[in-house]
């Protein structure tokens, strides 16, 4: 079963604009991670935020986490054509080795 | 540092047959997890192997089984294939205590 739901399911923006994706989840978590997937191939780990953190940055990425609302958002600033991909949030229940429970994904298209 | 390698890339099997998928984990990683991703869905956790033992299993029937070898590579075996087993199968490796997962590019299995 899927833990979370990403919103929107699909997003199209012009190159250079910012893209925001949201993720909601159902159960208590230890951490939340965001992954990118190009053309149905392998997943690339983007960023991890722990349950005791509220915001994290990595390059053009900004992730927020609100555990009271069981939600997270991923902001990609100054989007590029290469950012076109599907983005998934995944929740982990334990530090270290654990199963990841993925959401349904947001399909992001950057229009040149 | 090599990434995660999966083989084969694509595979077509007939319903009722058996299939073995292979995964070479990233150098230095001792844990391997397998995920099934149906078209348009997020990946779903099948199981994880650590030190050659199963270390957690998702909601998959016993006909899904696995192995981890001393060099940390892994196999996923699926018996009595069903049409619904058609999916992208992803392998991810990690190092104990480190929650960064490296995914392979996946094996696309089609059951006809």
């Amino acid at each position: 079963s899927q833990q979370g739901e990403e919103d929107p399911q699909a997003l199209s923006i012009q190159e250079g604009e910012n893209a925001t994706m949201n993720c909601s989840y159902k159960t208590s978590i230890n951490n939340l991670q965001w992954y990118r997937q190009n053309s149905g191939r392998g997943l690339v780990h983007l960023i991890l935020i722990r349950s005791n953190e509220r915001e994290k940055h990595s390059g053009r990425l900004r992730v927020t986490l609100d555990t009271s609302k069981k939600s997270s958002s991923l902001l990609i600033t100054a989007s590029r054509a290469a950012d076109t991909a599907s983005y998934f949030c995944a929740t982990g229940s334990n530090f270290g080795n654990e199963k990841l429970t993925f959401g349904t994904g947001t399909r992001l298209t950057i229009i040149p | 540092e090599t990434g995660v390698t999966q083989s084969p890339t694509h595979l077509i099997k007939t319903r009722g047959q058996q299939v073995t998928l292979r995964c070479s984990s990233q150098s230095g990683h001792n844990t391997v997890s397998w995920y099934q991703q149906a078209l348009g869905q997020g990946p779903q956790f099948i199981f994880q192997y650590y030190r050659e033992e199963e270390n957690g299993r998702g909601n998959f029937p016993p006909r899904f089984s696995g192995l981890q070898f001393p060099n940390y590579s892994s196999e996923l075996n699926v018996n009595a294939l069903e049409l619904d087993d058609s999916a992208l199968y992803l392998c991810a490796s990690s190092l104990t205590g480190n929650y960064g997962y490296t995914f392979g590019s996946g094996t696309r299995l089609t059951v006809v």
Side-chain angles (χ1 to χ4, degrees), chain A residues 11-98:
Chain A
L11 178 63
S12 292
I13 61 173
Q14 295 288 333
E15 192 168 19
E17 294 182 338
N18 296 339
T20 299
M21 287 160 272
N22 302 297
C23 165
S24 61
Y25 57 91
K26 300 173 185 174
T27 62
S28 297
I29 63 170
N30 186 280
N31 63 81
L32 186 143
Q33 306 178 33
W34 285 90
Y35 287 83
R36 184 185 73 228
Q37 185 175 42
N38 291 85
S39 302
R41 302 309 293 178
L43 294 155
V44 175
H45 182 264
L46 297 175
I47 196 166
L48 179 149
I49 187 166
R50 303 179 188 184
S51 59
N52 62 352
E53 298 176 313
R54 292 297 168 258
E55 188 171 311
K56 204 162 183 179
H57 297 255
S58 177
R60 295 185 295 114
L61 305 180
R62 171 179 167 252
V63 169
T64 61
L65 179 64
D66 187 336
T67 54
S68 66
K69 296 181 179 179
K70 291 186 169 59
S71 67
S72 174
S73 67
L74 171 67
L75 169 67
I76 303 174
T77 61
S79 63
R80 305 168 181 169
D83 295 329
T84 294
S86 291
Y87 291 81
F88 294 90
C89 68
T91 54
S93 56
N94 296 299
F95 277 117
N97 295 305
E98 74 228 348

Side-chain angles (χ1 to χ4, degrees), chain B residues 25-54:
Chain B
S25 59
Q26 180 168 315
S27 177
H29 285 184
N30 56 14
T31 301
V32 174
S33 302
W34 286 91
Y35 290 82
Q36 180 196 65
Q37 186 178 22
L39 197 62
Q41 300 295 315
Q44 295 215 10
F45 176 76
I46 303 175
F47 44 53
Q48 182 182 88
Y49 278 83
Y50 170 63
R51 290 185 176 179
E52 303 176 53
E53 297 285 334
E54 189 177 287

